[in-house]
Amino acid sequence: MTMGVDPRDLGDEDLIRELRHLHETRSETFFHGSDDALERHTSRTQELEGEYLERYPDRQVDPERLREGARQRSA
């Protein structure tokens, strides 16, 4: 069940803005939100992230964020 605007109806800029906002508020919700708030935050994040991945299946991946990049940094 989608609460708020269906992610499919958001333009690219709005989708990205919403995702950034959810990621900014995650810690506060996790540490201080009610169980319902945390559940809703999690489900909304999954909805928006799922839509983003559908639109951008070949999104740019930073090589430093891969295991090989981590190995090179620690060497």
Side-chain angles (χ1 to χ4, degrees), residues 2-16:
T2 296
M3 290 180 66
V5 176
D6 187 317
R8 295 172 293 189
D9 294 337
L10 294 170
D12 290 347
E13 288 180 20
D14 292 330
L15 177 63
I16 291 168

Side-chain angles (χ1 to χ4, degrees), residues 7-8 15 46-56:
R8 295 172 293 189
L15 177 63
Q46 290 172 339
E47 291 171 358
L48 293 171
E49 287 178 347
E51 179 63 22
Y52 183 88
L53 292 173
E54 269 191 48
R55 292 184 196 187
Y56 302 101

Side-chain angles (χ1 to χ4, degrees), residues 29-45:
T29 304
F30 180 78
F31 288 112
H32 306 292
S34 67
D35 290 344
D36 287 344
L38 181 58
E39 183 178 323
R40 182 63 201 124
H41 197 280
T42 299
S43 65
R44 185 64 172 166
T45 300

